[in-house]
Amino acid sequence: TEAEDKVIEALEQKLVFLKANQNMVNDFEAINEIRAETYEKLNAAGAIKPQHDFKAQVQKMLNMIAQEEASHTEKVKTALMAEATATVTEQFSTDKALKKAALDAAISKIKGGKAGVDPIQAAFVQFFKDKAAAVKASGDDSEEKAQREAMIAKMNSVAKNEGFFFQFDSKGTPSL
């Protein structure tokens, strides 16, 4: 009767509740499975990220070296041209024969004749030949060594400040 109906109704509600809780176990198992997969993926990504970071650090260092070399090359070119210009100008201002040869070549060129060798160009070429021979003969590489040491110090400073995985020893060899 009425009491029995209430008991049956209560038991049916309990059955629904228990069935719902049965799905809860399946849900927790699925969550744990997803969690395990996620940890595996994170570990795989964690193994690759340092490689990407290392590559980016090496690229940054190589770009810095290329910039420094380009800057140094431009400075050397400018200094050589200034020295060559001063030397050739001084030669032409003190040597009347060179002045006359340059003037004769210019007049010949203006008249449309065959100019021959340009004495100014020849003086510059000779300056650079003499400079190259002097550098070879001197064998003094102290300037190169000083520049190399300064470059290594700058690279180590960048590596330290930015937390790179590597630094350079006194010879310029990277070490992790």
Side-chain angles (χ1 to χ4, degrees):
T1 66
E2 196 175 310
E4 290 174 348
D5 289 341
K6 285 184 179 181
V7 169
I8 291 173
E9 189 179 316
L11 287 173
E12 286 175 349
Q13 283 179 345
K14 194 171 189 176
L15 181 63
V16 168
F17 179 73
L18 288 173
K19 283 184 179 179
N21 282 345
Q22 182 182 10
N23 287 339
M24 195 183 251
V25 170
N26 293 337
D27 291 344
F28 278 117
E29 286 176 353
I31 288 171
N32 284 336
E33 188 177 315
I34 290 172
R35 183 180 294 136
E37 288 175 20
T38 303
Y39 283 136
E40 287 176 22
K41 289 177 183 175
L42 281 173
N43 286 338
I48 293 173
K49 185 174 180 343
Q51 294 172 352
H52 286 290
D53 291 346
F54 182 71
K55 179 182 175 190
Q57 291 171 358
V58 169
Q59 285 176 334
K60 183 171 186 164
M61 200 59 70
L62 290 174
N63 288 337
M64 188 178 88
I65 291 169
Q67 277 183 318
E68 287 294 320
E69 286 179 349
S71 173
H72 178 71
T73 300
E74 283 303 312
K75 287 177 186 175
V76 168
K77 274 193 225 176
T78 303
L80 275 173
M81 282 309 296
E83 185 180 353
T85 302
T87 301
V88 170
T89 301
E90 198 261 320
Q91 285 176 353
F92 275 83
S93 65
T94 58
D95 190 344
K96 291 187 186 234
L98 284 176
K99 275 186 193 177
K100 182 175 179 350
L103 183 61
D104 289 346
I107 291 171
S108 174
K109 212 172 216 177
I110 290 171
K111 288 183 178 178
K114 198 170 188 181
V117 177
D118 181 2
I120 297 172
Q121 182 181 4
F124 274 100
V125 169
Q126 188 59 46
F127 169 81
F128 286 115
K129 284 181 181 178
D130 293 345
K131 189 71 170 175
V135 168
K136 270 188 181 178
S138 76
D140 180 23
D141 62 349
S142 60
E143 185 177 330
E144 289 176 19
K145 285 182 180 176
Q147 179 189 353
R148 181 181 181 90
E149 288 172 5
M151 183 66 181
I152 291 170
K154 185 174 184 177
M155 291 187 311
N156 278 334
S157 174
V158 168
K160 183 178 180 183
N161 289 337
E162 297 192 17
F164 282 11
F165 296 131
F166 57 91
Q167 289 207 335
F168 297 91
D169 64 12
S170 62
K171 296 177 184 176
T173 305
S175 59
L176 298 175

